[in-house]
Amino acid sequence: MTVDEVRSTPQRRAVLDVIAKAADHPTAAEVLDRVCEILPGVGAATVYRTLGMLVESGHIAELRLGTAAARYDREVGHHDHLICDNCGAVVDVHAELDRHAVIDPLETRHRFRATGYDLRIHGSCAACSKANTHRKDSANV
Amino acid sequence: MTVDEVRSTPQRRAVLDVIAKAADHPTAAEVLDRVCEILPGVGAATVYRTLGMLVESGHIAELRLGTAAARYDREVGHHDHLICDNCGAVVDVHAELDRHAVIDPLETRHRFRATGYDLRIHGSCAACSKANTHRKDSANV
DNA sequence: GTAACTGCAAACGATTTGCAATCTC
DNA sequence: GAGATTGCAAATCGTTTGCAGTTAC
């Protein structure tokens, strides 16, 4: 009969600290780098394990785009993302999506019980749009 | 100076055939299995290469959810997805999302140039909802 | 005939897991 | 001091790539 307590360790505090300060959406590898700056020698497994726990407990959110590595978001409330297909930047935004108009009809039509949604808007950010104004460019969705 | 022609091979025809017939959203591994049923011995690399080409050329669409493997969709026009967090089923749907009300304000506010969006609605499908009506259940988004 | 294609096996990147040593409570 | 946690290395998973042999046109 274990208590399964969650202990406070320097490593965990460091990960939490890094995430709390991260304005961008760092990957696990980036979190590891930053953690090692304040606490050298931390292993990758520890960071992965800690991030996993934090996601499980709802303290941080996980974001998965394309093939790339998972990204972590300190923002846990519902929000949407603007994704720049050119430079990879991800911006948290709040879309005014009318659930009654968009989700409800689909729930009824497909007898689906929606618990949430995920809206990602692709395109190019301000910086990239400006840079590419006079250049050839292609975008995916 | 090569012609860079694209040749028609039995393997490619088989992959195309499998995708065309797939009502679900098979992963590369599932496509490989099905391809091998009609043309035994096909290598995984060939399937991955072929799927990659088809995505590139816009003949099929790639769908990436969570950690899992990429899924392939014969439906290439814009559409949205209902994702059952319980059984993993993915259903293609058309959401009535008002771009003017949802996307435009974000473009202006963040000086973002949107090229498209991706809406995924999570929850539980008809079958799972029915099965879990009287059971404990948790869902993620 | 020749460049494109195939299958295999090795290489890869991201993430997970087994385990002995080490820390927290 | 017991059990949770760590770091390392090995293992996994999905996918890509190098390469020599094979095939489509």
Side-chain angles (χ1 to χ4, degrees):
Chain A
M1 237 151 277
T2 41
V3 186
D4 228 84
E5 64 175 314
V6 173
R7 296 182 178 173
S8 172
T9 66
Q11 292 85 335
R12 288 182 181 167
R13 270 174 259 129
V15 171
L16 220 26
D17 198 47
V18 164
I19 294 287
K21 287 189 173 58
D24 52 345
H25 300 72
T27 61
E30 288 165 346
V31 171
L32 174 60
D33 282 348
R34 299 177 199 181
V35 164
C36 282
E37 278 171 26
I38 52 183
L39 194 67
V42 174
T46 299
V47 168
Y48 277 104
R49 278 186 290 236
T50 303
L51 289 173
M53 295 180 69
L54 292 173
V55 170
E56 279 286 294
S57 61
H59 285 87
I60 64 176
E62 196 176 53
L63 195 55
R64 293 193 176 265
L65 320 166
T67 298
R71 295 180 164 279
Y72 296 88
D73 195 337
R74 63 183 175 186
E75 190 58 54
V76 289
H78 179 79
H79 61 280
D80 309 286
H81 297 99
L82 294 185
I83 301 165
C84 179
D85 292 321
N86 191 236
C87 69
V90 177
V91 182
D92 290 342
V93 298
H94 285 271
E96 303 294 335
L97 190 146
D98 183 348
R99 294 182 67 129
H100 286 294
V102 179
I103 315 274
D104 291 0
L106 293 175
E107 288 196 279
T108 306
R109 193 174 320 140
H110 298 275
R111 298 198 300 130
F112 189 83
R113 200 173 287 175
T115 55
Y117 65 87
D118 186 7
L119 176 64
R120 301 166 181 194
I121 299 169
H122 288 260
S124 70
C125 66
C128 291
S129 294
K130 188 178 295 180
N132 289 332
T133 300
H134 297 294
R135 296 221 209 93
K136 62 118 185 60
D137 190 21
S138 60
N140 44 347
V141 177
Chain B
M1 238 150 277
T2 42
V3 186
D4 227 84
E5 65 176 315
V6 173
R7 295 181 179 172
S8 172
T9 66
Q11 293 85 335
R12 288 181 180 169
R13 269 174 259 127
V15 171
L16 221 26
D17 199 47
V18 164
I19 293 287
K21 286 190 173 58
D24 53 345
H25 300 73
T27 61
E30 288 165 346
V31 172
L32 174 60
D33 282 348
R34 299 177 198 180
V35 164
C36 282
E37 276 170 28
I38 52 184
L39 194 67
V42 173
T46 299
V47 169
Y48 277 103
R49 277 186 290 236
T50 304
L51 289 172
M53 295 179 69
L54 293 173
V55 169
E56 279 286 293
S57 62
H59 285 88
I60 65 177
E62 195 176 53
L63 195 55
R64 293 191 176 263
L65 320 166
T67 298
R71 296 178 164 282
Y72 296 88
D73 196 337
R74 64 183 173 185
E75 190 58 55
V76 291
H78 179 79
H79 61 280
D80 309 285
H81 297 99
L82 294 186
I83 301 165
C84 180
D85 292 321
N86 191 235
C87 69
V90 177
V91 181
D92 289 344
V93 299
H94 285 272
E96 301 296 335
L97 189 145
D98 182 348
R99 295 182 66 129
H100 286 294
V102 180
I103 314 274
D104 292 1
L106 293 174
E107 288 197 279
T108 306
R109 192 174 321 143
H110 298 275
R111 297 198 301 132
F112 190 84
R113 200 174 286 175
T115 54
Y117 65 86
D118 186 6
L119 176 63
R120 301 166 181 193
I121 298 169
H122 288 260
S124 72
C125 67
C128 290
S129 294
K130 189 178 295 181
N132 289 332
T133 300
H134 297 295
R135 296 219 210 96
K136 60 119 186 63
D137 190 20
S138 60
N140 44 347
V141 175

